[in-house]
Amino acid sequence: MGLLHWLDHWLASLERALVVLLLTGLLGLGLLQVIERNVLASGIFWADELLQHMVLWLGFLGASLATREHRHLSIDVLSHFLPRRWQLWLDLLINTAALVMCTFFVQAAWGLVRSEYTAGTVLTFGVPAWLAQSVIPLGFGAITLRFALRLVGTLCQLAQPKARA
């Protein structure tokens, strides 16, 4: 379990650094593109495509971090009214369902990236489209890891004698 928590912490540090870099680049390139279009009546021909992919990466990295910090979308009305033991069982159900769903999303996203690889689609400057879209299975994989860690944590809490009482 210690190795998984270390991996989770390392992954979160990497994700935070990438989010800062992407957000800075997104704002800078977007501002430059606006200035180019409005002041110089031209534009950077590759900027829009890069901005779209930066938003995709930013979205998946942010979703993974939100899942880690328990800040993703959730409906937790029941958890406020249930006793602690029942909350753990509800957490077990929710985390299991999320883990299964995210596993399917990883598989589907992997299929998308594989089909882009097979098709040989190329973006500006010869960058393969599958490389830019690889964040989709990687992001869902990180989210899946976070739900798996949460599931193991819930199981450990349920195994404690106090939680069963």
Side-chain angles (χ1 to χ4, degrees):
M1 189 75 176
L3 177 65
L4 290 177
H5 282 293
W6 176 84
L7 176 64
D8 179 51
H9 179 72
W10 179 83
L11 183 61
S13 298
L14 178 64
E15 287 170 337
R16 283 188 191 102
L18 287 173
V19 163
V20 169
L21 286 172
L22 282 169
L23 195 53
T24 302
L26 189 72
L27 292 172
L29 185 58
L31 179 65
L32 184 62
Q33 183 73 332
V34 167
I35 292 170
E36 284 274 330
R37 285 186 178 170
N38 292 330
V39 175
L40 302 175
S42 66
I44 306 168
F45 74 94
W46 47 266
D48 291 337
E49 184 176 68
L50 180 59
L51 288 169
Q52 288 172 356
H53 285 93
M54 289 171 78
V55 168
L56 180 70
W57 277 74
L58 193 59
F60 273 98
L61 292 170
S64 178
L65 283 170
T67 302
R68 179 183 194 266
E69 297 172 6
H70 303 271
R71 293 179 181 238
H72 54 83
L73 292 176
S74 65
I75 301 171
D76 62 350
V77 173
L78 284 177
S79 66
H80 295 293
F81 299 109
L82 294 174
R84 177 72 182 140
R85 184 180 131 203
W86 288 49
Q87 288 177 11
L88 289 173
W89 285 105
L90 182 61
D91 286 347
L92 183 71
L93 175 68
I94 291 169
N95 290 325
T96 301
L99 181 66
V100 169
M101 288 173 45
C102 284
T103 302
F104 286 130
F105 291 151
V106 169
Q107 290 174 342
W110 176 248
L112 170 74
V113 171
R114 198 173 53 232
S115 71
E116 286 291 338
Y117 179 81
T118 304
T121 309
V122 177
L123 303 174
T124 307
F125 299 121
V127 175
W130 68 267
L131 189 60
Q133 295 170 351
S134 65
V135 73
I136 302 170
L138 292 173
F140 277 127
I143 293 169
T144 303
L145 172 69
R146 278 16 190 291
F147 279 120
L149 286 172
R150 197 174 303 159
L151 180 64
V152 169
T154 302
L155 286 170
C156 289
Q157 287 180 336
L158 279 170
Q160 294 175 354
K162 289 181 182 177
R164 288 184 270 163

